[in-house]
Amino acid sequence: MPLVTLIIPIYNAEKYLHRCLDSVVKQEFPDMEVLLINDGSHDGSIEICREYEGKDLRFHVIDKENTGVSDTRNLGMRLAEGKYLQFMDSDDWLAEDAVDSMVSAAEQENCDLLIADFYRVNGEHYAEKHHIRRKNVMDRETFAMEMAKEPADFYYGVMWNKLYRRKIIEQYGLACDTSMNWCEDFLFNLSYIRYAKRFLALQKPVYYYMKRKGSLVSTESVSVDAVKVRLELLEKYKAFYQSMGLYEEHRLKINSYIVAIARDGGVGRMNPGRQKLDSRDVIPEEEKSLYQHVEHTFDPIYDSRSEILILGTFPSVKSREQNFYYGHPQNRFWKVLARLTKEKLPETVEEKKTMLLKHHIAVWDVVAGCDIIGSSDSSIKNVVPADIPKILNGSRITKIFTNGDKAYKLYRKYCENATGIKAVKLPSSSPANAVFTLDRLTDAWRELICGKETDAEQ
C-alpha cells in the first residue's frame, strides 16, 4: 500500500498539463501513486497522460466519460490505495518536495487533516497565502475557531492544499456532492472535519494555484443559481458550528460567509511580498500556440572510458528529425571535433559515435524535456534537466564543457549542484554564432579543452 495517493482530475488541460505533471515527476517521494483521471477530454490530454504513465511507474491513467470534477474525484477516492489522499488541479503545479513535506509532517504528528500554505499566481506574479500560524496539533474545536475567522478563505475551502486520511473517508462514506459545480470542495471539507480529530497547519507553501480569467467563481458568482448555492452552503456551515456548540459565539462571523464567499478566496492573510514567477513557468498568451512540449528521444554518447563531457542545450528540429546530435548541416560541431582529433569528418551516426568514443569524449544535452518554439534555445521553458550524474557514475568524466552560453546558464541553474563539477563555457558551434569563423572556433575550443598548445605539440 502506498503511503499517499495523489488524485488529479483532467479535462481539456493540454495547455497546462505538462507543467502540472512535470512538477509531480520532480517529487522525489517514492512511496506514492498518482491517479491521472481523464474526464472525457477531447483535446490531447489523454495522450499526454499516457506519455507520463510510460516514464514514471508511480503514474496510473484512468480514462472515463465526462461526468464532472466531483464525480471524477469520487472515482479517484474509490480507487486510491494510499494511507493519505492528496488532490491537485491540472492547471496548477506543486512546489518542490511538496509531497514529502506534507506526508512527513502528517506522519510525525499522526494528524487526520494537514492544511498547508500555498502560492496564489496571477499572471506572471505570485504571492504566498497562509492563515493558521499555530505550530502545534489542534483538536476539532480549535481548528473550527481558526476557520471561523475567515470562513471564505481558499485556505480552508479547497482540497488541493490538504492531506486527508483515507480511512476516515471510507469509514464515513464521504464524497464530493455531484449536484454542485461551485464550492463543492468546501462542502466536502466541512463533512470531513466533522470526523477528523487531529489537525495540523504546515507553514510552508506547497502548491501554485493559478487564478485564471473565466474561472467558475468569476463567471457564476452573480448568477441566481450561485446565490442559491451560497445560501445552502451557509446553512451547512451554520449546522457545522451548531453541532459543536460554537454557533452563538461566532454567529456574526458565520453569517458573513454568504458575502465573503463571493470574493474568490480574496479574504485572509496574504504575504505582501509579491514575487515574479520564474520565466520558465510563464508562456505569453500570444505565444502559446507556437510552443510544443518535446522530450529528448536519443541516448547520451559515452562509455566507461569517457573523460570529458560536452553538453548542448536541447536538440534542434533537424537533430530531432535525425535522432542524433547536431544534425543541422551548418552547425560546426562535427567539423571542429574532427579538426581537434585529427580525424576525417564523420558523415554517418556510427562514424560520429566511433570518433567520440575513440577520443574518450561524451556528448549529451542539459535539457531532457521542455516547452520550445522550433529550435529556439531562447524560447525554452518548463525545463526538465537531464540526469547527468547517471553517466558520471558510469565513466571517468572529470571535466564538463557546454556548447554555448545558453547551455552554460542552464547547466549552472539545473545541474551543477547535482554533479559538483563546474562547467567550462565553449563558444557555440551554432551557425548563428557568426562572429566565430570555423578557424577561430576551432582555436577557441582547442585552448579551452586541450589547454594552450603549440603546433609542434599538436
Side-chain angles (χ1 to χ4, degrees):
M1 180 180 76
L3 201 52
V4 62
T5 298
L6 175 59
I7 298 170
I8 311 178
I10 295 162
Y11 177 71
N12 290 347
E14 65 176 0
K15 186 185 295 185
Y16 305 100
L17 193 52
H18 280 292
R19 179 178 62 188
C20 168
L21 300 186
D22 283 342
S23 76
V24 179
V25 170
K26 292 176 184 177
Q27 302 298 309
E28 296 182 354
F29 192 82
D31 195 12
M32 67 182 292
E33 63 173 354
V34 183
L35 302 184
L36 307 180
I37 309 181
N38 182 51
D39 186 30
S41 300
H42 47 77
D43 62 357
S45 293
I46 186 62
E47 288 78 14
I48 296 172
C49 290
R50 297 290 186 200
E51 170 193 339
Y52 282 80
E53 183 183 43
K55 67 183 182 181
D56 192 321
L57 295 177
R58 298 174 298 177
F59 285 68
H60 307 283
V61 175
I62 298 97
D63 193 15
K64 58 184 277 295
E65 294 182 356
N66 177 246
T67 56
V69 66
S70 291
D71 188 59
T72 302
R73 284 174 175 157
N74 290 341
L75 174 61
M77 286 188 274
R78 292 195 299 272
L79 296 175
E81 297 183 356
K83 178 179 179 180
Y84 300 102
L85 300 187
Q86 183 179 356
F87 294 86
M88 188 176 181
D89 288 348
S90 57
D91 52 355
D92 301 332
W93 66 101
L94 293 175
E96 190 174 341
D97 76 357
V99 176
D100 183 63
S101 298
M102 296 177 78
V103 176
S104 296
E107 284 284 275
Q108 182 176 343
E109 299 296 344
N110 190 31
C111 62
D112 298 322
L113 179 70
L114 182 137
I115 185 169
D117 297 348
F118 62 93
Y119 294 114
R120 180 165 174 165
V121 181
N122 196 342
E124 296 185 10
H125 295 85
Y126 68 97
E128 183 178 339
K129 193 83 181 293
H130 57 72
H131 192 263
I132 298 177
R133 297 293 89 185
R134 291 176 179 267
K135 295 183 178 180
N136 56 315
V137 174
M138 296 167 280
D139 59 19
R140 186 185 302 123
E141 181 174 334
T142 303
F143 181 80
M145 292 179 69
E146 288 282 353
M147 186 168 65
K149 296 175 184 177
E150 301 289 0
D153 199 312
F154 264 31
Y155 180 86
Y156 297 104
V158 297
M159 298 173 71
W160 37 251
N161 70 327
K162 298 173 180 67
L163 203 64
Y164 305 85
R165 193 180 291 272
R166 180 168 65 93
K167 183 178 179 180
I168 293 176
I169 293 173
E170 290 185 345
Q171 182 176 353
Y172 296 99
L174 305 181
C176 296
D177 189 337
T178 57
S179 68
M180 299 179 66
N181 61 1
W182 188 61
C183 287
E184 68 279 7
D185 295 24
F186 186 69
L187 186 57
F188 175 85
N189 288 336
L190 280 182
S191 299
Y192 183 89
I193 293 166
R194 283 177 177 266
Y195 303 104
K197 296 178 180 179
R198 292 174 62 85
F199 300 79
L200 182 69
L202 179 63
Q203 289 151 28
K204 175 180 179 179
V206 300
Y207 194 93
Y208 288 85
Y209 156 65
M210 187 173 70
K211 177 176 170 58
R212 291 187 290 121
K213 292 180 180 178
S215 67
L216 197 56
V217 173
S218 65
T219 55
E220 294 192 8
S221 60
V222 296
S223 69
V224 174
D225 287 342
V227 172
K228 291 180 179 178
V229 169
R230 289 202 296 274
L231 287 170
E232 180 181 346
L233 284 169
L234 176 62
E235 288 303 312
K236 293 181 182 297
Y237 193 64
K238 175 181 175 180
F240 169 76
Y241 281 90
Q242 285 176 329
S243 69
M244 291 186 288
L246 299 174
Y247 175 70
E248 292 302 322
E249 181 182 353
H250 299 283
R251 63 185 304 162
L252 292 178
K253 199 70 172 178
I254 292 168
N255 289 338
S256 70
Y257 177 68
I258 191 171
V259 176
I261 200 170
R263 299 179 190 171
D264 188 20
V267 189
R269 300 181 188 133
M270 181 82 85
N271 189 319
R274 191 175 75 144
Q275 303 179 62
K276 191 168 184 178
L277 281 172
D278 191 303
S279 60
R280 71 182 187 274
D281 289 324
V282 179
I283 299 176
E285 289 292 333
E286 64 274 12
E287 294 182 7
K288 281 176 180 168
S289 62
L290 303 176
Y291 271 86
Q292 65 176 139
H293 185 85
V294 185
E295 299 287 335
H296 209 305
T297 57
F298 39 98
D299 294 330
I301 307 303
Y302 76 104
D303 63 15
S304 61
R305 299 180 302 156
S306 299
E307 297 176 354
I308 71 169
L309 171 62
I310 301 176
L311 294 168
T313 50
F314 189 77
S316 66
V317 172
K318 277 293 183 184
S319 296
R320 300 199 294 267
E321 289 173 357
Q322 297 178 19
N323 208 37
F324 199 67
Y325 300 90
Y326 304 103
H328 194 290
Q330 294 180 9
N331 194 296
R332 280 101 34 104
F333 180 85
W334 298 110
K335 291 179 180 179
V336 170
L337 281 191
R339 287 187 172 196
L340 294 182
T341 59
K342 297 183 173 58
E343 299 282 353
K344 177 185 174 183
L345 180 65
E347 300 291 342
T348 67
V349 168
E350 285 308 312
E351 289 175 351
K352 292 171 182 177
K353 288 182 179 179
T354 298
M355 183 180 74
L356 291 172
L357 297 178
K358 177 182 176 181
H359 295 277
H360 313 308
I361 301 170
V363 170
W364 206 7
D365 292 311
V366 176
V367 179
C370 64
D371 294 324
I372 190 172
I373 300 175
S375 302
S376 171
D377 283 353
S378 63
S379 72
I380 289 176
K381 298 184 186 298
N382 297 322
V383 169
V384 178
D387 184 11
I388 295 173
K390 178 180 72 173
I391 69 171
L392 298 183
N393 293 334
S395 68
R396 299 189 301 217
I397 293 170
T398 57
K399 295 181 179 180
I400 296 177
F401 300 86
T402 62
N403 189 353
D405 185 62
K406 185 66 173 182
Y408 179 74
K409 289 179 178 177
L410 291 173
Y411 176 84
R412 288 285 307 276
K413 185 170 189 176
Y414 294 104
C415 305
E416 189 175 285
N417 285 341
T419 66
I421 300 176
K422 291 188 178 296
V424 175
K425 179 171 61 177
L426 301 170
S428 174
S429 63
S430 167
N433 187 18
V435 69
F436 275 81
T437 63
L438 180 58
D439 288 342
R440 185 183 173 195
L441 190 64
T442 303
D443 289 341
W445 278 46
R446 178 180 291 114
E447 181 174 333
L448 290 167
I449 294 175
C450 307
K452 294 183 179 180
E453 299 175 341
T454 64
D455 290 338
E457 291 172 327
Q458 296 172 30

